[in-house]
Amino acid sequence: MDLGIAGRRAIVCAASQGLGRACAESLAREGVNLVLNARREGPLAQTAEEIRAAFGVEVDIVAGDLNEAEARDRLLAACPAPDILVCNPGIRQVPGDFRTWSREDWLWWWDGHFHSMIDLITRTTPGMAERRFGRVVSITVSFIKFPQVGFAHSHAARLALSGAIASMVRELIPHNVVINSVAPGLFDTDALHTNLHGHAKRGNTTYEAIVEDRKKTCPAGRFADPSECGDLVSFLCGAKAGFITGQNIVNDGGVYQGLF
């Protein structure tokens, strides 16, 4: 399927590895020119070079922590009129005890998962509306549908972002601007395996045992390839996806059992 977005320009956050990189590669395959962000310049530059070589699109990079306003300013200066924005905080979820968190701890997670992304959305969508084309996808997590013990900090901020998006979309869709959230489950990324090593250590068990246990919780019986997220995001960014908006699309191999 031709998604009709060749020649468009996209910002992809946290794009040096994992799901962010998969989104960048899927968009590049469709002929989309990219501005990529990640915290570390070295891995980001390597990713950019590999995508240029593989797909022949323009790829620029802006390294920096999007928790900081200055980094967001530089990113939007490098791509002031994006057609596509892939919001991805790129912050690994770390479990904790809510009884020990200070106000500053809560606010750090809100900055990372909510304020940084909402700032990018609110600054890019007016221009998209004027140009009569815009696609925004927020990468969240499937657990916003069934929050897990120990993750109140990140789940709260992610849910707030989804709520804010749901309030915005009806003002934007008349201008052919849509915003959706993709909620992935267990994907075969470095972030997942780092988390599983942590679970194994805390549970006094082996990494291999934790991996097998997690796979058993998924009806698909496996971890998904990152491209299975990237391709879904690319479809939602396509010209043919202009009637889908305000959705939290779970992509978790059947783990979530609810209807809504």
Side-chain angles (χ1 to χ4, degrees), residues 186-210:
L186 297 172
F187 275 75
D188 195 0
T189 63
D190 288 343
L192 172 65
H193 291 289
T194 297
N195 277 339
L196 295 184
H197 277 290
H199 283 299
K201 184 176 181 179
R202 288 187 295 272
N204 196 28
T205 186
T206 66
Y207 167 76
E208 291 75 16
I210 287 289

Side-chain angles (χ1 to χ4, degrees), residues 51-65:
I51 291 176
R52 286 189 205 102
F55 303 106
V57 297
E58 298 175 10
V59 187
D60 297 317
I61 65 170
V62 178
D65 184 348

Side-chain angles (χ1 to χ4, degrees), residues 6 15 27 33 50 71 80 84 128 147-148 168 181 185 189 195 197:
L27 289 168
N33 298 312
E50 291 171 356
I84 294 165
M128 293 177 179
Q148 304 295 291
M168 297 173 179
S181 297
T189 63
N195 277 339
H197 277 290

Side-chain angles (χ1 to χ4, degrees), residues 201-235:
K201 184 176 181 179
R202 288 187 295 272
N204 196 28
T205 186
T206 66
Y207 167 76
E208 291 75 16
I210 287 289
V211 167
E212 289 307 308
D213 177 70
R214 292 298 185 271
K215 288 182 178 178
K216 288 177 183 177
T217 67
C218 178
R222 63 181 177 88
F223 297 155
D225 189 90
S227 66
E228 295 176 86
C229 179
D231 291 344
L232 172 59
V233 170
S234 288
F235 173 78

Side-chain angles (χ1 to χ4, degrees), residues 151-181:
F151 295 95
H153 45 357
S154 62
H155 291 347
R158 289 178 185 270
L159 281 164
L161 181 59
S162 291
I165 287 170
S167 179
M168 297 173 179
V169 293
R170 289 159 190 83
E171 297 178 76
L172 293 168
I173 195 169
H175 308 286
N176 192 28
V177 178
V178 300
I179 313 177
N180 292 288
S181 297

